[in-house]
Amino acid sequence: TTTVAYKNITLTGSDHINFFSLAGSDLAVATGLKFNVGLNDIAIVNVSGSADSMGSFGISGAALGNVLFNFFEADTLNIHNIGLSASILAPDADLTFNSGHIDGNVIARSASGSGQYNWAPFNHDIQPVPEPSTWVLTGAGLISLFAVARRKKA
């Protein structure tokens, strides 16, 4: 679950692999980010918004290398005044990273700024989760096959 209260964000999960959704507008004004997950658990944070920003706040509660921020809609991403032990996935974003450090992988369309990048790979095998439409199509296909087989018997 994702909770935002007084500009503090708390992400709570009980699975080995935890998926969270977060609005980029909440992340941009956050003063704190806390992960309530197990020490060896993985947190994948899907951040919405085309122009995202994060910085000037503390992060607690997650193990180094077990957090991935996925800026799936971002065209621009501004990271500043922060120490992150996480990986950043923003393949369509122009990243500006001034002051701070990132211990993790960073994937962006372009990167600029004076921030420090420290390689700490996100080495986890994450299996894709089928979209609901996949299940609907699979179900429709099975029903159609059953109907055709039934007509042939009759």
Side-chain angles (χ1 to χ4, degrees):
T1 59
T2 301
T3 307
V4 180
Y6 306 105
K7 297 184 181 180
N8 287 300
I9 301 169
T10 304
L11 305 174
T12 303
S14 58
D15 297 323
H16 175 61
I17 301 172
N18 299 280
F19 293 90
F20 302 102
S21 295
L22 183 60
S25 57
D26 288 332
L27 188 60
V29 298
T31 57
L33 177 60
K34 181 177 182 181
F35 290 91
N36 286 333
V37 297
L39 182 60
N40 294 315
D41 292 344
I42 299 164
I44 298 176
V45 184
N46 294 309
V47 182
S48 62
S50 61
D52 292 321
S53 177
M54 66 187 299
S56 300
F57 63 82
I59 298 176
S60 64
L64 173 66
N66 288 355
V67 176
L68 173 68
F69 287 94
N70 177 22
F71 293 90
F72 62 97
E73 294 177 326
D75 296 321
T76 60
L77 176 58
N78 181 14
I79 300 176
H80 57 281
N81 301 332
I82 196 165
L84 282 178
S85 293
S87 290
I88 304 291
L89 178 60
D92 295 326
D94 295 316
L95 169 64
T96 302
F97 176 35
N98 290 312
S99 67
H101 66 89
I102 297 174
D103 300 325
N105 294 330
V106 176
I107 298 173
R109 178 174 44 212
S110 68
S112 64
S114 59
Q116 177 179 327
Y117 299 91
N118 300 318
W119 185 64
F122 185 80
N123 286 327
H124 300 287
D125 184 20
I126 307 297
Q127 298 299 317
V129 177
E131 296 292 327
S133 59
T134 303
W135 291 111
V136 170
L137 286 174
T138 301
L142 291 173
I143 289 170
S144 298
L145 287 174
F146 178 73
V148 168
R150 198 167 173 180
R151 280 189 186 163
K152 285 184 179 182
K153 277 188 175 182

